[in-house]
Amino acid sequence: MRTILNKSNNNPIGFFDSGVGGVTVYEQVKKLLPNENYIYFGDTKNMPYGEKTEEQLLIFADKIFKFLEEKGTKAVVMACNTTSAVVYEKLKNNYNFEIYPIIQSVSKSIAEMPIKRIGVFATQATINTHCYKKELQKYNSALEIIEIACPGWVKIVENGQENSNEAKQAVKEKMNEMMLLTPEKIILGCTHYPYLLNVLSEFAPANMFINPSIEFAQIIKKDLEQKGLLNKIENESFEKFYVSKSPENFKNAASIFYKIDSMPELILN
Ligand code: DGL
């Protein structure tokens, strides 16, 4: 992470994801830092990212970073495991702001938990990189890691179908596979998956699931504080949501985690 110059502290913090997943991170950060200005971009036209190639993800992420750069963001939160896994390393030095990738940011604290065997649910693209496995084993080489891809889960969440039979069936199938391999904890390694916590908890105790957003928000706060980048002007904070498709659908789907006041703005990506 680089220290960025020429940004005033009231410049916004940017967030991006393929859709509503990143709202699970946004909600946590906003709670910790209510005085900040925020811009969120959900690339709903191009979701699900987990089924895209590296070439495609590089194009999507670069466009979003540039869009956020134009908006003057002082920092950008990659509230998306898939782009953190697939493109962060390639793009990280290209922009004039601080970048926080979710997987690389949270792995240390997860790896330091007193457990021997951990499961990871994530998108196919994230699992293909073994990014969680590599990052966790950097800090705890003895940790055994079970990686399972969950195609289909993101669309269920984007469609607001968390309580459907389809959701239950999809979760049951992957939970059966995971529980046979006896993990002590399971990382929800895609920011959309916490929307499915109710269904997941039908198959294992809720405290078995790690939602990395909670720790991630603390890490972001601490780092911005240490770098002196927090907003010092009080009572003037704004938030603005942008999407590349279906603003109303986004607003509705996000509402499980966060009530968005005004309609997100549709922009082409
Ligand atoms: N929510 C993102 C992630 O954390 C992207 C999911 C997707 O669009 O497939 O991986």
Side-chain angles (χ1 to χ4, degrees), residues 10 13 35 46 61 83 89 99 118 128 150 199 218 223 241:
N10 66 342
I13 300 173
N35 192 41
N46 294 311
T83 49
E89 281 300 327
I99 299 177
I118 195 161
N128 290 348
C150 307
V199 195
Q218 298 283 355
D223 196 72
F241 286 84

Side-chain angles (χ1 to χ4, degrees), residues 5-40:
L5 300 173
N6 302 327
K7 295 273 170 189
S8 87
N9 289 25
N10 66 342
N11 282 41
I13 300 173
F15 279 74
F16 80 86
D17 181 41
S18 65
V20 295
V23 172
T24 60
V25 181
Y26 176 66
E27 181 253 344
Q28 294 287 333
V29 173
K30 176 127 198 230
K31 241 191 270 170
L32 292 179
L33 300 171
N35 192 41
E36 291 297 316
N37 296 308
Y38 293 104
I39 291 178
Y40 184 107

Side-chain angles (χ1 to χ4, degrees), residues 2-9 11 69 72-75 95-98 227 229:
R2 299 162 305 141
T3 303
I4 310 304
L5 300 173
N6 302 327
K7 295 273 170 189
S8 87
N9 289 25
N11 282 41
E69 193 165 49
T73 47
K74 63 183 172 188
Y95 317 96
N96 179 30
F97 42 66
E98 203 63 44
K227 296 196 164 113
L229 283 172

Side-chain angles (χ1 to χ4, degrees), residues 65-81:
F65 277 130
K66 285 182 177 144
F67 168 76
L68 294 170
E69 193 165 49
E70 274 170 30
K71 298 278 172 203
T73 47
K74 63 183 172 188
V76 170
V77 177
M78 296 178 81
C80 171
N81 291 263

Side-chain angles (χ1 to χ4, degrees), residues 17-18 48-50 80-82 123 154 190-192:
D17 181 41
S18 65
Y49 275 6
C80 171
N81 291 263
T82 306
T123 66
V154 167
C190 165
T191 51
H192 282 78

Side-chain angles (χ1 to χ4, degrees), residues 150-191:
C150 307
W153 288 19
V154 167
K155 275 197 177 156
I156 290 172
V157 171
E158 288 290 327
N159 293 333
Q161 291 168 338
E162 289 88 349
N163 296 316
S164 65
N165 285 336
E166 187 196 349
K168 200 160 176 174
Q169 209 37 51
V171 167
K172 184 179 174 192
E173 190 191 312
K174 295 297 170 183
M175 279 302 289
N176 286 346
E177 200 182 318
M178 180 63 90
M179 295 309 272
L180 281 175
L181 300 165
T182 64
E184 288 157 83
K185 296 271 182 196
I186 301 169
I187 301 173
L188 300 178
C190 165
T191 51

